[in-house]
Amino acid sequence: MALENAIQAPDFDLPNQFGERVRLSDFRGVKPVALVFFPLAFSSTCTKELCTLRDNLAMFQDHRVELMVVSVDSKATLRAFAEEKGYDFTLLADFWPHGEVSKEYGVFLENKGFATRTTFLIDVDGVIREHFGTEPGQERSLADYRAALDLLVPVTV
């Protein structure tokens, strides 16, 4: 069961696609985070979904929200995936211990060995303000991202 809104998001320390360590706590007091769990790199639905995020990255930038995506793939796999698809956002490897962060967020599927498609919008104080997901094989809606981002941080002109 995915974590609920209005609770402190569990901190984590994961390598990104370049092997650099990324901690959620580094963003506290700095900027909100969109934490996007997805099953596996290079799978058709995941690729299409992340390409949609790539093509709409300005939506996150306009809200000053850091986009980070997480899968159980290795950092080497995520780097190849990012390079091939032109992803200009952080990909995090929840590889070892296998799925540990996905488990903390309640989105790991033990019988499959990977996370569900679930997104958490975390405010500048590290509190989960919104989350949403889909059934296996279904993409998350861009409209759901827009609505969640607007709730988290309204765009100021």
Side-chain angles (χ1 to χ4, degrees):
M1 182 69 109
L3 293 179
E4 295 297 324
N5 296 343
I7 65 166
Q8 191 74 31
D11 197 16
F12 56 78
D13 181 344
L14 291 173
N16 68 11
Q17 68 265 38
F18 305 108
E20 301 160 336
R21 304 304 297 191
V22 175
R23 288 182 303 277
L24 180 62
S25 58
D26 289 344
F27 293 89
R28 288 197 188 122
V30 178
K31 69 190 312 188
V33 171
L35 191 61
V36 178
F37 288 90
F38 72 101
L40 296 168
F42 295 105
S43 64
S44 61
T45 304
C46 294
T47 299
K48 186 175 177 192
E49 191 174 35
L50 293 188
C51 284
T52 298
L53 295 181
R54 175 200 64 202
D55 297 344
N56 291 278
L57 192 55
M59 177 175 63
F60 295 91
Q61 294 165 340
D62 290 348
H63 286 81
R64 293 180 176 83
V65 171
E66 186 73 21
L67 173 62
M68 295 191 285
V69 300
V70 183
S71 81
V72 296
D73 296 294
S74 71
K75 64 185 178 203
T77 298
L78 292 176
R79 185 169 185 167
F81 189 39
E83 288 175 358
E84 181 179 303
K85 301 300 178 186
Y87 298 148
D88 191 23
F89 47 81
T90 302
L91 285 84
L92 298 173
D94 191 13
F95 183 70
W96 196 257
H98 186 73
E100 180 178 57
V101 173
S102 301
K103 290 173 186 172
E104 286 184 56
Y105 279 78
V107 298
F108 189 77
L109 299 171
E110 290 287 345
N111 61 333
K112 303 274 187 183
F114 53 73
T116 63
R117 285 184 182 82
T118 305
T119 299
F120 295 90
L121 281 292
I122 302 166
D123 73 12
V124 71
D125 296 317
V127 175
I128 297 170
R129 292 297 171 197
E130 193 67 38
H131 75 282
F132 59 91
T134 61
E135 295 297 318
Q138 295 180 355
E139 294 177 53
R140 284 162 279 201
S141 159
L142 199 55
D144 288 341
Y145 280 101
R146 282 192 186 108
L149 286 167
D150 285 344
L151 284 172
L152 181 66
V153 182
V155 175
T156 56
V157 182

